[in-house]
Amino acid sequence: MTVVTRFAPSPTGFLHIGGARTALFNWLYARHHEGKFLLRIEDTDRERSTDEAIEAIFDGMKWLGLDWDEEPVFQFSRRDRHAEIARQLIDEGKAYYCYASKEELADMRETARAEGRPPVYDGRWRDRDPSEAPAGVDPVVRFKSPNEGVTVVHDLVQGDVTFANEQLDDMILLRADGTPTYMLSVVVDDYDMGVTDIIRGDDHLTNAARQKQLIEAIGWPVPNHSHIPLIHGPDGAKLSKRHGALGVEAYRDMGYLPEALRNYLLRLGWSHGDDEVISTEQAIEWFNLENIGKSAARFDFAKLENLNGLYIRNADDAYLTSLVAPILAKNTGQEISSNQLKLIEKAMNGLKERAKSVNSLAESSLFLIAERPLALDDKAKSLITEEASAVLMRLADRLEALEQWNPETVEEAVRAAAEAENLKLGKIAQPLRAALTGTTVSPGIFDVLNVLGREQSIGRIRDVRSD
RNA sequence: GUCCCCUUCGUCUAUCGGUUAGGACGCCAGAUUUUCAUUCUGGAAAGAGGAGUUCGAUUCUCCUAGGGGAUACCA
């Protein structure tokens, strides 16, 4: 049987980091087994679902590189099918109408809690005759779940988890307005979509027991369940907007590479021995359910950043340039010309060596496209002393005399200048860097000289003449 | 309150009864170096607590504590 997994977010907000990991695991599992990975939008909560959220989820998935098979399923559009199953259950005596009011329900829970009993619906309409129904009340449809015994979820990550059936009350299948609830919809959709493996957050573990009861009542096969632990914020508490619970697009905007985030998320809760840097190809080859950990993990930006730097250093120059360009355009408020792009790409090899994010890459490539005369920052300014300026002017002459302008010739010229001035290389390199980049931090100075070219380099040096 | 799950360095984790408890991030020290970064070397750093099973427990069982999740006409 081919494996079919699905990711089923509700479009009530962006695709947050926990959801992204769930999607990643489902995707990896499907790809590993050469099965299908489906996407279902659980939009049955009409109040809270929004089109913007749906778009954000699609965008987030695409950015992360998690491609799904087939058209996404919109759960709300399948409500008739869900209701049909509910009616079938009523006909079979496996579900019933309940006329209890919200106040009654609230009282019920309160007294149960006070008496130390599980706060569940007491089944007061379970066996009552429909003729007793109060007039003018739209009933909900409840599932007649077993009162005794236990339900055990055979979870591939958590192991067998046993629930006493008395803990699980008669859940609502259809609301008073006739729309299906989540419990019913998932079960029906998963079956209709042919889902073989459900991989989701372990906040659904109790739901799995209820859903299993429902599935068995209908007479369908129970899919494999894998409930993965949640991701916590750095403080160990549930992810909130203050720390990690940002949408994946926020990570993109912070300058993280999707491949780095994928790698990081994969290692959060899954392991393959001592391997840390795992390409997507390897991840697909290695991924399994057995090596998913059972405890919640905390989100650690420092480690993500480290991985991001590593992926940036190994990334293709043209690819990085294409990511940097729009950021640069946005930050400078001007379009980046193709010549400037060439310049950036040429410098990228030196730039990416010291970048931790795409944003810092953009920041550090700013000097390449800056207009003369450069505005020097304070530290750079302090390096251009009168003495340094004089040295730089003599260096400019020396550079001007070069017949060829390439990495070797410029290095040779600068080294020769240092020797002639009886200066350590650093003494000439730092002022030079300040003049060329306006800052004190940049790629190797010979690299900068070479990339900038003769005209810009000499021009920028002469611009800092102090007299 | 009730039910369920979890618990190895600060963090992510390896270990599937016998290890000097390993790796990675971060941190500290040193080396390299034209800045920064990279790279390299070294270091500090962990089995929540208590019983039991066993010749032997981080590993298996139970209890306690702590953390998390679920308890909706949300998903």
Side-chain angles (χ1 to χ4, degrees):
Chain A
M1 190 159 83
T2 65
V3 164
V4 179
T5 65
R6 47 65 159 185
F7 176 54
S10 57
T12 54
F14 41 50
L15 174 60
H16 65 83
I17 206 70
R21 188 185 59 157
T22 302
L24 174 66
F25 283 15
N26 275 286
W27 182 82
L28 285 172
Y29 193 70
R31 294 289 172 262
H32 174 85
H33 289 284
E34 294 176 353
K36 280 195 281 189
F37 170 63
L38 307 179
L39 182 59
R40 181 172 71 227
I41 305 297
E42 307 215 320
D43 53 354
T44 53
D45 184 344
R46 304 314 290 170
E47 311 265 291
R48 300 196 297 150
S49 298
T50 66
D51 289 344
E52 297 76 64
I54 293 173
E55 277 312 306
I57 289 165
F58 288 163
D59 290 348
M61 297 280 290
K62 283 181 202 154
W63 178 72
L64 259 185
L66 305 181
D67 54 319
W68 58 92
D69 301 307
E70 301 179 5
E71 285 302 303
V73 171
F74 288 85
Q75 192 158 59
F76 187 66
S77 71
R78 296 181 31 84
R79 59 191 179 280
D80 291 345
R81 164 66 173 157
H82 304 152
E84 175 193 327
I85 297 295
R87 278 193 299 274
Q88 177 190 320
L89 254 11
I90 294 173
D91 291 345
E92 293 171 358
K94 293 170 180 168
Y96 60 94
Y97 290 105
C98 167
Y99 296 83
S101 69
K102 296 201 176 179
E103 295 71 42
E104 271 182 80
L105 261 20
D107 286 348
M108 208 182 286
R109 272 191 288 271
E110 209 170 300
T111 52
R113 189 182 293 247
E115 291 168 21
R117 289 181 291 110
V120 295
Y121 173 70
D122 61 9
R124 58 183 60 179
W125 284 93
R126 188 183 238 252
D127 298 307
R128 235 198 277 191
D129 194 277
S131 65
E132 291 179 47
V137 174
D138 289 327
V140 300
V141 172
R142 282 185 186 270
F143 173 60
K144 200 178 275 186
S145 69
N147 285 330
E148 289 162 8
V150 296
T151 295
V152 12
V153 176
H154 302 290
D155 194 284
L156 270 33
V157 169
Q158 307 287 341
D160 284 358
V161 184
T162 305
F163 296 89
N165 286 339
E166 58 173 9
Q167 292 285 338
L168 278 9
D169 62 359
D170 291 353
M171 59 187 162
I172 292 174
L173 264 21
L174 254 31
R175 301 188 182 92
D177 65 2
T179 58
T181 60
Y182 161 78
M183 288 295 175
L184 208 216
S185 300
V186 232
V187 164
V188 177
D189 286 345
D190 281 339
Y191 174 75
D192 286 351
M193 290 163 75
V195 173
T196 59
D197 291 82
I198 295 174
I199 302 168
R200 66 205 335 180
D202 72 7
D203 48 338
H204 285 288
L205 192 53
T206 357
N207 292 337
R210 317 183 88 110
Q211 287 159 12
K212 187 182 178 190
Q213 293 181 340
L214 224 201
I215 292 168
E216 285 175 337
I218 301 172
W220 289 335
V222 180
N224 294 325
H225 281 108
S226 298
H227 288 93
I228 63 179
L230 269 17
I231 298 176
H232 289 168
D235 57 357
K238 197 176 168 183
L239 231 32
S240 78
K241 282 184 185 161
R242 272 178 297 111
H243 28 257
L246 304 163
V248 291
E249 78 284 346
Y251 291 84
R252 179 197 60 209
D253 293 346
M254 284 186 273
Y256 294 111
L257 252 26
E259 44 273 46
L261 188 57
R262 247 183 277 142
N263 193 151
Y264 177 72
L265 253 17
L266 175 66
R267 282 289 292 107
L268 216 49
W270 180 85
S271 59
H272 185 268
D274 283 341
D275 293 307
E276 294 287 346
V277 181
I278 302 168
S279 71
T280 301
E281 293 66 40
Q282 281 175 318
I284 290 172
E285 189 187 328
W286 289 340
F287 189 76
N288 61 2
L289 267 15
E290 296 81 66
N291 290 323
I292 295 178
K294 296 174 85 173
S295 54
R298 298 187 191 201
F299 196 91
D300 180 18
F301 274 99
K303 191 153 184 175
L304 205 212
E305 189 157 278
N306 172 270
L307 265 178
N308 201 46
L310 193 144
Y311 275 87
I312 285 178
R313 289 195 291 284
N314 291 324
D316 178 71
D317 293 345
Y319 167 63
L320 291 175
T321 304
S322 73
L323 294 178
V324 161
I327 300 173
L328 228 33
K330 192 178 161 217
N331 292 353
T332 60
Q334 51 183 276
E335 285 208 18
I336 309 302
S337 71
S338 65
N339 275 341
Q340 290 177 319
L341 284 182
K342 274 185 208 148
L343 204 60
I344 294 169
E345 185 172 336
K346 200 173 168 193
M348 191 52 79
N349 195 41
L351 254 17
K352 70 185 181 187
E353 196 67 27
R354 50 216 96 217
K356 288 270 195 283
S357 74
V358 179
N359 291 357
S360 62
L361 211 45
E363 178 79 33
S364 61
S365 48
L366 220 43
F367 80 91
L368 290 164
I369 60 171
E371 299 278 337
R372 285 182 50 204
L374 260 55
L376 307 203
D377 67 26
D378 289 346
K379 278 191 205 159
K381 254 183 232 160
S382 68
L383 285 170
I384 310 293
T385 59
E386 235 171 83
E387 193 190 340
S389 171
V391 169
L392 286 179
M393 292 315 120
R394 289 192 286 276
L395 173 64
D397 294 339
R398 194 180 280 268
L399 287 169
E400 194 129 73
L402 287 177
E403 280 177 30
Q404 305 228 327
W405 192 275
N406 61 45
E408 291 75 36
T409 56
V410 295
E411 171 161 1
E412 212 175 306
V414 175
R415 285 193 189 278
E419 208 165 317
E421 305 277 354
N422 204 14
L423 289 172
K424 283 173 108 175
L425 185 55
K427 284 289 175 196
I428 194 165
Q430 268 313 79
L432 179 55
R433 171 171 288 110
L436 293 176
T437 70
T439 71
T440 52
V441 176
S442 83
I445 202 63
F446 309 128
D447 197 15
V448 170
L449 233 21
N450 178 53
V451 170
L452 239 27
R454 182 193 297 262
E455 198 193 322
Q456 270 294 321
S457 297
I458 294 174
R460 289 183 185 195
I461 296 171
R462 294 234 154 101
D463 285 343
V464 299
R465 178 184 215 106
S466 62
D467 50 62

